[in-house]
Amino acid sequence: MNGRDRARPSRECSLEGRPPCRPQRTMGAVSQNDERWMRLALALARRAEGQTRPNPPVGAVVVGNGRLVGAGWHRRAGGPHAEVFALRAAGARARGATLYVTLEPCSTWGRTPPCTDLVLRSGVRRVVAAIRDPNPRHRGRGLRLLARAGLAVESGVCRAEAEDLLAPFTAWATRGRPWLTLKLGVSLDGRIADAAGESKWITGPAARRRVRALRQRCDALLVGGGTARADDPGLKTGTRARLQPLRVIVSARGRLPRGAQVLTDAQRGMTVIATSGRCPARRREEWSAAGAQVWTLPATAGGVDLGALLARLHGAGCLHAVCEGGGELAAALVRAGLVDEYWFFVAPRLLGGGGVPAIGGRGWPLRAAPALRIVACERVGADVLIRARPAGKGR
């Protein structure tokens, strides 16, 4: 998670909070200094969230004689990995030093050479990884190679934080789809709009800044066609980041107007209309002519096949998708079991029975209602952010 987005929960509203960064011994001895340097590597990795697809964000530092001699992070797919930047900066000072890296060094050729080759040439004496590669084909291979070459190898330092940071890459590598966060700004009585459909603004400016920071860390932003028609969102990140997230409008019948902001602004090439064969061919042609990408996906009784959409996003290299509503799309994602984490920004106001519910659809009987597990709760300005995950999933 981005450091700006992981502020310490307030004491008034703290539940599980963020897991502590405690080393977990897997090989050899681990010290408090290892924690210190791994935290720095994690902070560097977070700078790259949303900028490396389909690669994971990774940070690395080189420490010699108790002093930092090199640091770096992976900036873009196809570019040097974090270890390369850190070891280049260290130069000859890497000899006999320790390399800390948030993900075990790669050991196979891709668009760049294997980092294990460079590590062996650098002369470092010890390598400490936060976690092993989640890809079953590569898991542990780099560390085993380094250990066989005589280096001291450790893993598991700050494992919980690293797993949290790399959860999107893990989902992409092992499940064939992006990690999906469902973000909703709701009133205290669970409404995302009033009876007239007005939703700007339920939450306050601090919450909106936090949402923009979340957008900067993701690879795709999803909204339903109804929300796109009612709110005409720009889905902007608020930065000039080199790699912008895809803006995905889910509209099975193609009711998105030609004048929508996502079809007319300077980033319209990053707009994806996820539709189905129920959408008129003329409308799809209009969207393409406007510069948008049109994905025609299988239809379901409820609209677009969302599993197929996430598979397509996986193919586009997207590690982390954020859905910002509306209620019908949110309900469909929950019902399909596709939500990995929920972010509820709860505002201290009431909209009453005429308002639009956060989760639409036909609902569930109490005995079959999806169960969530709250993992963090904190104040964000006048609002409260509740983060939750499906019960039984992850930490």
Side-chain angles (χ1 to χ4, degrees):
M1 293 290 183
N2 188 298
R4 293 187 296 271
D5 296 327
R6 295 191 53 90
R8 187 183 302 276
S10 69
R11 292 183 180 178
E12 299 94 331
C13 189
S14 179
L15 296 171
E16 290 183 34
R18 187 168 73 183
C21 182
R22 295 195 180 114
Q24 301 180 28
R25 178 174 176 172
T26 56
M27 291 177 284
V30 176
S31 70
Q32 289 186 339
N33 278 333
D34 290 336
E35 282 190 60
R36 172 194 174 193
W37 295 118
M38 189 61 75
R39 284 195 184 102
L40 176 56
L42 286 162
L44 293 172
R46 291 185 186 108
R47 296 186 184 185
E49 284 186 284
Q51 297 299 302
T52 61
R53 62 178 181 260
N55 291 354
V58 178
V61 298
V62 182
V63 178
N65 297 318
R67 301 185 63 179
L68 179 69
V69 296
W73 66 95
H74 184 44
R75 289 169 168 80
R76 62 180 179 83
H81 290 187
E83 300 94 319
V84 176
F85 284 113
L87 290 169
R88 281 179 182 172
R93 294 174 296 177
R95 188 159 298 279
T98 296
L99 169 67
Y100 295 88
V101 61
T102 56
L103 179 67
E104 75 168 292
C106 66
S107 58
T108 57
W109 275 87
R111 295 167 69 178
T112 59
C115 288
T116 48
D117 288 358
L118 177 62
V119 172
L120 291 173
R121 292 197 305 269
S122 72
V124 299
R125 176 181 55 83
R126 180 171 175 252
V127 175
V128 180
I131 62 173
R132 302 183 184 191
D133 193 322
N135 188 328
R137 293 182 299 172
H138 306 299
R139 183 176 177 84
R141 180 180 176 186
L143 295 179
R144 288 193 298 271
L145 189 154
L146 296 173
R148 285 199 299 267
L151 275 66
V153 174
E154 325 285 345
S155 67
V157 178
C158 294
R159 176 179 294 166
E161 284 193 29
E163 287 177 344
D164 201 29
L165 170 70
L166 291 165
F169 177 68
T170 300
W172 186 87
T174 63
R175 291 190 279 164
R177 68 169 180 86
W179 177 269
L180 182 70
T181 299
L182 175 59
K183 187 282 301 179
L184 295 169
V186 303
S187 64
L188 202 57
D189 55 347
R191 304 298 191 226
I192 59 173
D194 64 17
E198 182 64 39
S199 62
K200 294 183 179 178
W201 296 102
I202 290 177
T203 55
R208 295 197 292 276
R209 287 193 296 271
R210 189 70 173 270
V211 170
R212 287 194 292 271
L214 175 63
R215 289 175 177 177
Q216 291 168 25
R217 294 168 32 215
C218 78
D219 303 299
L221 289 164
L222 280 64
V223 296
T227 297
R229 292 192 301 274
D231 297 344
D232 192 22
L235 300 175
K236 301 288 179 55
T237 64
T239 71
R240 296 183 180 180
R242 181 189 59 82
L243 194 58
Q244 294 289 333
L246 294 176
R247 303 179 298 183
V248 183
I249 313 299
V250 184
S251 180
R253 298 185 181 276
R255 293 172 181 164
L256 183 68
R258 284 178 292 178
Q261 193 175 170
V262 293
L263 293 174
T264 56
D265 65 15
Q267 295 180 26
R268 56 189 177 274
M270 296 299 291
T271 297
V272 171
I273 313 295
T275 189
S276 72
R278 298 171 183 167
C279 174
R282 172 183 53 82
R283 182 57 58 87
R284 283 179 271 167
E285 291 166 2
E286 289 175 351
W287 291 333
S288 295
Q293 304 174 48
V294 180
W295 294 356
T296 302
L297 301 167
T300 65
V304 171
D305 184 327
L306 297 174
L309 171 58
L310 292 186
R312 184 75 179 264
L313 288 171
H314 172 271
C318 294
L319 309 180
H320 186 188
V322 173
C323 176
E324 297 199 12
E328 296 304 315
L329 178 58
L333 287 166
V334 175
R335 192 170 293 280
L338 296 173
V339 180
D340 295 298
E341 185 163 89
Y342 297 78
W343 283 39
F344 294 102
F345 288 92
V346 184
R349 62 178 71 203
L350 303 172
L351 293 178
V356 179
I359 306 294
R362 62 184 184 272
W364 296 268
L366 181 59
R367 64 182 180 278
L372 307 183
R373 177 177 50 85
I374 296 175
V375 297
C377 176
E378 62 183 279
R379 294 181 184 274
V380 181
D383 306 316
V384 171
L385 168 60
I386 299 173
R387 288 177 49 215
R389 293 184 178 180
K393 274 193 178 183
R395 286 178 281 99

